Amino acid sequence: MSKKNITIIGTGAYGTALANVLADNDNNVIMYGIVEQQVDDINIYHQNSVFFDNKKINKKIRATSSMAAALENTDILILGVPTAAIKHVVNDIIKYAKRPMDIINTAKGLDEENLGLLSDKIKKYFEGSNVLATYSALYGPSIAVEVVDRQPTAIMIASESIEKAKELCDVFSNEYFYMYPTTDIAGCEISAALKNSIAIGGGILKAYNAGDNAHATLLTLGLNEMYEFGKHFGAKLETFLNFAGLGDLILTASSKKSRNFRLGERIVELNDAKKALESFNLTVEGVETARIAHEIGVKYQIKMNFFEIIYNILYNNVKPISLLNNVFRDVKLV
């Protein structure tokens, strides 16, 4: 496949990791960022020390703080910004884009405003412009530092057509980064969002020394609740068994590298979710997702025992021991 001109919006950890993969594959990669220090770090020192200390990244990666320059020749555009920033970023993209592009989203979450899918919301942001050629998104177990270290990683790309998904797999895949195609955007997106809340539960059980049996049981019942939720949006069962579903759930709900998992541990340490959140300086996606998932579950009468418990711990200050005492009761299996 010929070289692609690829723009990554955002100079965060995951965007940098993807830039490294794509530059390793001999694509032309430019990153857009608003923090001049990070832009200079990438251009001059070929690193992004805010996230990766002195680890070197591919020297061919360029960075800029000019959106116009970043979009000059773009074929593929990767949204590497947090969910809350997407609307503002899309407005700038529409303003400066010169051609239709394949848009790939990396943000995880649900649509708080409409109690639906984030992908639907993002596509609506592009309505009325000629910028969005196709929409895709990345999902799967891919801790950024391991990708930068070129450790083996396999993820999914979900696109509206399988042909486009396969085409993009060819752009990303190499000897350490493996990408697989799917068209089940809903299933992948729901898996990516809900596993963060389950990971908070994983941290809670770990802090109570509940044991490996309990941890495995939590992952199993969590996966089942993810599918029960996903069915409402037309998600396919097999999606919850691939890298976007089971793979990402195992990683996020089991690793101390996961912010969601570490928050769960902190909640037990302080025996108070509110105090734990106040003392936790990092963004933890599973907190907001738990609330939105709870509201969607209530609205559409989706029975989710775990999500009801974790919602009450996070938002009604119920003590975290309630997870250990109640989550294994009345489990609904697929």
Coordinates of all heavy atoms in Angstrom, one line a residue, residues 1 6 10 54 61 68 83 206 250 273 275 320 334:
M1 N 0.8 -1.2 0.0 CA 0.0 0.0 0.0 C 0.9 1.2 0.0 O 1.9 1.3 0.7 CB -0.9 0.0 1.2 CG -1.8 1.2 1.3 SD -3.0 1.1 2.6 CE -4.2 0.0 1.8
I6 N -1.1 11.2 7.2 CA -1.9 11.0 8.3 C -1.7 12.1 9.4 O -0.6 12.4 9.7 CB -1.6 9.6 9.0 CG1 -1.8 8.5 7.9 CG2 -2.4 9.4 10.2 CD1 -1.3 7.1 8.4
G10 N -4.0 16.0 18.6 CA -3.7 15.7 20.0 C -2.3 15.1 20.1 O -1.9 14.3 19.3
N54 N 12.3 9.7 28.6 CA 13.2 9.9 27.5 C 13.2 8.8 26.4 O 14.1 8.7 25.6 CB 14.6 10.0 28.0 CG 15.1 8.7 28.7 OD1 14.2 7.8 29.0 ND2 16.3 8.6 29.1
I61 N 8.3 11.6 12.6 CA 7.1 12.2 13.1 C 7.3 13.7 13.2 O 8.3 14.1 13.8 CB 6.6 11.6 14.4 CG1 6.4 10.1 14.3 CG2 5.4 12.3 15.0 CD1 6.2 9.4 15.7
A68 N -4.2 24.5 10.5 CA -4.2 24.6 9.0 C -3.0 23.8 8.4 O -3.2 23.1 7.4 CB -4.1 26.1 8.6
T83 N -13.0 12.9 25.1 CA -14.4 13.0 24.6 C -14.9 14.5 24.7 O -15.6 15.0 23.8 CB -15.3 12.1 25.4 OG1 -14.8 10.7 25.3 CG2 -16.7 12.1 24.9
K206 N -9.6 -6.2 44.4 CA -8.2 -6.4 44.7 C -7.8 -5.8 46.0 O -7.0 -6.5 46.8 CB -7.4 -5.8 43.5 CG -5.9 -5.9 43.7 CD -5.4 -7.4 43.6 CE -3.9 -7.5 43.6 NZ -3.5 -8.9 43.5
I250 N -10.1 -7.6 30.2 CA -9.1 -8.3 31.0 C -8.0 -7.4 31.3 O -7.5 -7.3 32.5 CB -8.5 -9.5 30.2 CG1 -9.6 -10.6 30.1 CG2 -7.3 -10.1 31.0 CD1 -9.2 -11.8 29.2
A273 N -15.8 6.9 48.2 CA -15.6 7.2 46.8 C -15.4 8.7 46.6 O -14.5 9.1 45.8 CB -16.8 6.7 46.0
K275 N -14.1 11.0 48.6 CA -12.8 11.4 49.0 C -11.7 10.8 48.1 O -10.7 11.5 47.8 CB -12.5 10.9 50.4 CG -13.3 11.6 51.5 CD -13.0 11.1 52.9 CE -13.8 11.8 54.0 NZ -13.5 11.2 55.3
P320 N -17.8 0.8 49.7 CA -17.3 -0.1 48.6 C -17.5 -1.6 49.0 O -17.6 -2.4 48.1 CB -15.9 0.2 48.5 CG -15.5 0.9 49.7 CD -16.7 1.7 50.2
V334 N -25.5 -14.8 29.8 CA -26.0 -14.9 28.4 C -26.4 -16.3 28.0 O -25.6 -17.2 28.3 CB -24.9 -14.3 27.4 CG1 -25.3 -14.5 26.0 CG2 -24.6 -12.9 27.7

